[in-house]
């Protein structure tokens, strides 16, 4: 990986990547650093953020650890103040932080239902098994999913706008999901949060264009990350059966999309949704 001194598509720019301790966020932070960015690495886990930042620094990239729960507006405000103090501004924000379940045990219930639904579908008989997930989601689970994904994205965008406006330019990349379009069964709170992020992206794009700030979204399909490791074989089979490209994506395939949207190569893109999803959804 090249350090900042070798230039790159983000040479001289400051980027903040949330949820960068692992998976897609780490892949994005790593790629941005390779293309010359100074990178603020966020994660709810200070240890995970420090691990990513340490790997970047080992390659000559200037990195800052900013541990925070993006669901807390106070923590987000403090995080952006730390970024501004260290780097003197912000050019790129990637809102990637997310969770796969709103409460303990939800993934296990979803896996069990997916196994039962898959067996039912393969039985060749009229459907007898129902998902029955939405009726079991608690208020606390719903609130946590919305807080991390949708509120967290908003809090970060709100804090980024003054820093980017001061510099006269900026690129915000919001991680939504193909579930925002498809409405995935079994995860209504996740699908709703991701759909909200897509609407927020378009609203902010319309508002911030005059400031030189572009806002776009990425709608990934199923990516091979720690967050998707607990998905059951049956659920994976359902995904593979629906995709023309019948595999999970590597985080690097999402990171390359984020790099495009963060760089000047996408200078006329705003309010757009790019979806590396293997063909499970095809839309314009």
């Amino acid at each position: 990986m090249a350090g900042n001194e070798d230039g790159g598509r983000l040479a001289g720019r400051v980027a903040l990547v949330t949820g960068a301790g692992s998976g897609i966020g780490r892949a994005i932070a790593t790629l941005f650093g390779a293309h010359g960015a100074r990178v603020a690495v966020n994660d709810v886990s200070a240890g995970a953020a420090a691990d990513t930042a340490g790997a970047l620094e080992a390659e000559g990239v200037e990195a800052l650890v900013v541990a925070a729960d993006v669901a807390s507006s106070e923590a987000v405000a403090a995080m952006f103040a730390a970024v501004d103090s260290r780097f003197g501004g912000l050019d790129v924000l990637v809102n990637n932080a997310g969770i796969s379940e709103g409460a303990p045990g939800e993934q296990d219930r979803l896996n069990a239902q997916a196994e039962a639904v898959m067996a039912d579908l393969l039985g060749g008989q009229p459907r007898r098994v129902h998902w029955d997930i939405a009726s079991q989601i608690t208020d606390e689970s719903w609130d946590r999913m919305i807080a991390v994904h949708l509120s967290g994205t908003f809090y970060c965008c709100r804090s980024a706008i003054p820093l980017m406006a001061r510099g006269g330019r900026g690129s915000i990349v919001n991680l939504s999901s193909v579930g925002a379009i498809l409405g995935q069964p079994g995860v209504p709170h996740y699908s709703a949060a991701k759909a909200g992020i897509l609407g927020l992206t378009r609203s902010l794009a319309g508002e911030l264009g005059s400031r030189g700030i572009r806002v776009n979204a990425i709608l990934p399909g199923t990516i091979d990350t720690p967050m998707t490791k607990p998905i059951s074989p049956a659920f994976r089979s359902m995904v593979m059966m629906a995709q023309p490209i019948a595999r999970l994506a590597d985080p690097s395939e999402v990171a390359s999309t984020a790099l495009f949207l963060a760089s000047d190569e996408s200078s006329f893109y705003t309010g757009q949704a790019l979806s590396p999803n293997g063909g499970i959804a095809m839309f314009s």
Side-chain angles (χ1 to χ4, degrees):
M1 178 166 59
N4 291 353
E5 70 277 1
D6 296 320
R9 290 156 70 183
L10 298 178
R13 299 187 190 183
V14 175
L16 167 59
V17 183
T18 69
S22 65
I24 294 171
R26 180 166 178 142
I28 292 171
T30 300
L31 187 60
F32 282 13
H35 280 270
R38 292 176 287 169
V39 184
V41 181
N42 161 266
D43 201 274
V44 69
S45 164
D51 186 62
T52 297
L56 289 171
E57 290 171 340
E59 297 293 342
V61 176
E62 187 178 353
L64 171 68
V65 174
V66 278
D69 181 351
V70 297
S72 165
S73 62
E74 293 83 1
V76 167
M79 174 172 68
F80 277 82
V83 171
D84 193 26
S85 176
R86 170 70 173 271
F87 295 121
L90 183 68
D91 302 295
V92 179
L93 167 64
V94 179
N95 284 306
N96 167 76
I99 55 176
S100 60
E101 58 180 7
E106 282 187 350
Q107 188 62 57
D108 291 339
R109 288 197 300 274
L110 178 59
N111 285 342
Q113 286 303 99
E115 296 283 352
V117 168
M118 190 67 170
D120 193 30
L121 290 172
L122 294 175
Q125 302 296 322
R127 282 287 300 274
R128 295 167 295 176
V129 177
H130 310 287
W131 282 100
D132 288 338
I133 296 291
S135 60
Q136 300 181 48
I137 290 177
T138 65
D139 292 354
E140 292 76 16
S141 173
W142 175 271
D143 290 345
R144 181 60 180 165
M145 188 69 75
I146 298 298
V148 172
H149 289 274
L150 182 54
S151 296
T153 296
F154 170 70
Y155 295 152
C156 288
C157 288
R158 181 175 63 184
S159 289
I161 291 167
L163 303 188
M164 291 181 173
R166 193 174 69 210
R169 70 174 184 186
S171 175
I172 297 174
V173 181
N174 294 327
L175 270 290
S176 179
S177 166
V178 72
I181 303 297
L182 296 179
Q184 295 169 308
V187 286
H189 47 359
Y190 179 85
S191 295
K194 292 301 191 180
I197 289 172
L198 186 55
L200 175 64
T201 297
R202 290 168 172 164
S203 177
L204 291 178
E207 178 177 335
L208 299 176
S210 63
R211 292 258 183 208
I213 301 171
R214 299 182 295 105
V215 191
N216 294 287
I218 302 176
L219 280 61
T222 307
I223 314 299
D224 189 10
T225 69
M227 200 168 88
T228 59
K229 283 289 190 291
I231 294 176
S232 73
F235 205 96
R236 286 174 184 263
S237 295
M238 288 181 180
V239 172
M240 297 304 99
M241 289 168 62
Q243 285 183 191
I245 301 177
R247 62 173 175 82
L248 301 187
D250 186 82
S252 64
E253 294 175 292
V254 181
S256 61
T257 306
L259 176 62
F260 169 69
L261 291 175
S263 74
D264 289 341
E265 292 183 5
S266 61
S267 58
F268 207 53
Y269 280 72
T270 197
Q272 302 305 305
L274 302 186
S275 186
N277 66 52
I280 196 170
M282 301 184 191
F283 49 87
S284 59

